[in-house]
Amino acid sequence: MSTFVGPARVRYAPSPTGEPHIGNIRTAIWSWLFARHTGGQFLVRIEDTDQSREVEGSVGRILESLRWLGLTWDEGPDIGGPYAPYVQSKRLDDYHAAARRLLDSDNAYRCFCTPERLDALRKEQQAERRSPGYDGLCRSIPAAEATARAASEKFVVRFKVPHEGSTTVEDLLRGPITVENRTLDDFVILKSDGFPTYHLAHPVDDTAMHITHVTRGDEWLPSAPRHALIFDALGYPRPIYVHNAIILAPGGGKLSKRHGAKSVLEFADDGYLPDAIVNFLCITGWGHGDDTVLSREELINVFDMADLSLAPATFDIEKLNWMNGVYLRNMQPEDLVEQIAARLDRDLPPEVPRPLDRANLAAIAPLIRERIQLLSEVLGFVDFFYATDIPTPPVEQFLVKRWREKAPEAAAALAAAVEAIAGAAWSANGLEETLRAAAAAAGVPVGDLFSLIRLAVTGKAVTPPLFESMEIVGAEACLARLRAAEAALRAAS
RNA sequence: GCCCCCAUCGUCUAACGGCCAGGACGGCACCCUUUCAAGGUACAAACAGGGGUUCGAUUCCCCUUGGGGGCACCA
């Protein structure tokens, strides 16, 4: 439904203050899809104009997150591009030049107010229940005097917001947003340390990099008019703004660590698939008819920035989990084996010899693929395949339902099972056939017999299909475990 | 306090004035079944409230309520 037809240039511009979290990265996903949809470019730019907040290693983690998700970028801090550098701390000259122009055109002025004064001012305003904001004290300092003082005093540069009139910003999703200029104060554009604030860096860089669509969280909406004012004062054409709603925590309120505001890389650790994350995040806050499961290619085809939802969406972890399961089930068998292998390689205890046997995993994978939603659940389903010794579970675990208080009968049932399968051909089909017959002969419902066997062989009540599992475990181990269980039950009689 | 944004099932959404408001997750019931899943079928579940505009409003406008966000030498 978009009217935009040309190639879009969009950017993901994170601050290196940590790892991208799930809400933040959704904007990147949408931007990336939009770039690919329009045949344009997706770039990464690091916004490190606040040295004090910088976190060591963030840039690496940010790029790693994008890489893991498969969000390829065409220009960025690591690969450069026609408008390099893509790191704001390396573009200070550009910001200074812009500030200079704004100063010269009387759209900005130097402010010598100390942090102490600003602090006191704010407290006073709050006490009097007035809107906080700079009072414009330095606005009236004559230019010549300001220039002179600048040689020896610390100062910031503030934008001179017109006292009259209003400013209207066009948002792709909501149309015109108008704000009265008197509600805006003279905001800082250049800090005393010589670094720009976001308000200046954004117009300068997005213009220099020819960004067509500025995508960002809607917490920026209230300050969008400030940016428009700067674009205009600098004579820059304004970009198309796309302010998107944020993701909420399940109970409402901001998404926090408690509710899954985990970093992208943590989701990777938890066993989520990049495709599932991309698909899920894309459809939270956006929808496409009756479809929910959409491949990357389909998303690129049908995604349009103009269709984003305006209302904040709640993070639905249940749906994400379900979707991850869908992707696991739809995966090519050999790919699934590799995923499982990689997972077990790190989750299985060190005693298990590496590399893991791929043929063995190829037999196991189909048994668990319908049973897992997350790769992290794999271990719990397959660990018994790798254990050399499975201790017999406590007899109480056997003596449930039909077998409650019936240890001798349970022991007898196991004995009959052992007798039936010992020495027989060891295949899943053969085992099933034989054991069904054994259950019938003993007058025991198959389910009741099978659960005894399951517990004895795997040590668990919930497992992959029993006979296939027994085939993989092997005759020797199975028979030994069955006999051990039988003995334990007899001892308990 | 001032300013901005938003509002369809519990959750994510479809609908772009006009069929019984559709789909997905989750829920419930049944089927399948050696456990657990997966799969199949059925059911319950929403237009926040009040005014307008219109032949007709979920859809357009206003108000109320509710939710979110902003008002730094942070982004």
Side-chain angles (χ1 to χ4, degrees):
Chain A
M1 198 191 289
S2 173
T3 50
F4 185 83
V5 286
R9 279 179 64 81
V10 291
R11 101 273 106 122
Y12 176 52
S15 296
T17 54
E19 294 178 27
H21 61 81
I22 216 72
N24 183 328
I25 207 71
R26 183 184 60 164
T27 308
I29 290 171
W30 284 339
S31 300
W32 180 83
L33 287 170
F34 191 60
R36 297 295 171 251
H37 175 77
T38 62
Q41 291 85 42
F42 176 67
L43 33 160
V44 176
R45 182 179 70 224
I46 303 301
E47 310 221 318
D48 60 343
T49 56
D50 185 353
Q51 311 143 296
S52 66
R53 294 206 314 161
E54 189 142 356
V55 175
E56 184 74 27
S58 291
V59 175
R61 304 287 276 177
I62 288 167
L63 297 182
E64 194 183 340
S65 300
L66 292 173
R67 219 171 273 128
W68 182 74
L69 285 171
L71 305 184
T72 51
W73 54 101
D74 306 296
E75 298 163 31
D78 56 332
I79 55 174
Y83 308 105
Y86 293 85
V87 177
Q88 291 186 325
S89 60
K90 294 179 181 162
R91 320 182 108 248
L92 296 185
D93 288 349
D94 291 4
Y95 311 126
H96 292 163
R100 173 92 260 157
R101 284 180 54 204
L102 291 171
L103 244 14
D104 290 346
S105 61
D106 198 32
N107 281 116
Y109 61 91
R110 291 187 182 82
C111 171
F112 301 93
C113 291
T114 61
E116 292 71 34
R117 181 179 116 77
L118 297 175
D119 222 48
L121 175 64
R122 195 170 306 119
K123 286 205 175 87
E124 185 186 316
Q125 289 165 329
Q126 278 168 354
E128 294 174 23
R129 292 194 211 290
R130 284 156 48 208
S131 303
Y134 184 59
D135 60 359
L137 181 68
C138 295
R139 186 166 173 147
S140 56
I141 297 175
E145 182 189 334
T147 307
R149 287 177 65 178
S152 59
E153 289 180 51
K154 281 204 143 202
F155 66 89
V156 299
V157 177
R158 289 182 183 273
F159 187 81
K160 196 182 273 188
V161 177
H163 290 314
E164 306 289 311
S166 62
T167 302
T168 299
V169 179
E170 197 71 27
D171 180 86
L172 177 70
L173 305 177
R174 346 171 191 246
I177 309 289
T178 300
V179 173
E180 296 299 321
N181 290 338
R182 60 180 163 70
T183 65
L184 269 24
D185 70 346
D186 291 344
F187 54 96
V188 174
I189 58 177
L190 200 66
K191 301 184 263 187
S192 60
D193 63 1
F195 279 71
T197 60
Y198 176 86
H199 300 311
L200 178 63
H202 148 55
V204 169
D205 285 343
D206 283 332
T207 299
M209 295 174 183
H210 294 91
I211 297 302
T212 59
H213 294 66
V214 170
T215 54
R216 45 157 62 156
D218 64 7
E219 70 268 22
W220 287 108
L221 213 40
S223 48
R226 299 180 216 274
H227 306 151
L229 251 14
I230 292 187
F231 272 96
D232 295 354
L234 253 14
Y236 294 156
R238 298 186 193 173
I240 297 169
Y241 283 102
V242 186
H243 292 99
N244 52 257
I246 68 164
I247 299 183
L248 264 30
K254 232 178 166 177
L255 196 57
S256 68
K257 285 276 178 200
R258 278 273 162 278
H259 301 108
K262 289 185 290 196
S263 70
V264 171
L265 267 11
E266 283 177 285
F267 276 91
D269 276 351
D270 289 348
Y272 289 91
L273 266 15
D275 283 344
I277 296 277
V278 167
N279 189 162
F280 170 75
L281 248 22
C282 184
I283 65 162
T284 111
W286 174 84
H288 183 257
D290 288 350
D291 304 321
T292 54
V293 178
L294 294 154
S295 72
R296 219 168 266 254
E297 291 64 36
E298 289 169 323
L299 286 175
I300 289 172
N301 271 328
V302 303
F303 179 76
D304 193 322
M305 204 68 95
D307 297 333
L308 294 182
S309 168
L310 278 333
T314 305
F315 184 76
D316 186 355
I317 188 76
E318 295 279 316
K319 193 165 187 172
L320 203 213
N321 291 343
W322 162 79
M323 185 166 277
N324 204 64
V326 170
Y327 275 85
L328 243 19
R329 271 171 256 133
N330 291 345
M331 198 174 262
Q332 288 302 315
E334 56 273 25
D335 293 338
L336 181 64
V337 168
E338 284 314 305
Q339 289 287 341
I340 290 175
R343 190 75 205 186
L344 289 178
D345 199 43
R346 41 171 283 198
D347 288 355
L348 240 22
E351 309 86 81
V352 177
R354 308 301 204 286
L356 300 172
D357 185 278
R358 293 305 150 113
N360 188 237
L361 278 177
I364 292 173
L367 306 185
I368 63 171
R369 76 182 297 155
E370 279 93 34
R371 277 160 250 268
I372 51 174
Q373 290 191 314
L374 306 180
L375 257 1
S376 54
E377 295 164 353
V378 169
L379 182 67
F381 272 109
V382 307
D383 52 359
F384 70 90
F385 286 122
Y386 294 93
T388 46
D389 179 47
I390 301 257
T392 300
V395 292
E396 312 88 73
Q397 288 183 32
F398 287 91
L399 305 179
V400 297
K401 292 182 181 170
R402 170 189 190 82
W403 308 111
R404 178 172 295 282
E405 319 234 312
K406 288 184 176 167
E409 289 84 346
L414 279 179
V418 168
E419 191 180 341
I421 59 176
W426 202 261
S427 72
N429 284 341
L431 287 167
E432 178 167 4
E433 210 175 303
T434 307
L435 289 169
R436 277 183 188 282
V444 175
V446 290
D448 292 325
L449 205 223
F450 294 171
S451 52
L452 287 180
I453 298 174
R454 168 175 288 105
L455 191 55
V457 171
T458 69
K460 302 164 185 283
V462 175
T463 71
L466 182 57
F467 310 110
E468 285 82 351
S469 297
M470 289 174 74
E471 181 178 325
I472 293 169
V473 169
E476 194 184 336
C478 284
L479 290 170
R481 292 173 192 176
L482 286 167
R483 289 185 175 114
E486 181 205 335
L489 286 166
R490 280 225 197 282
S493 303

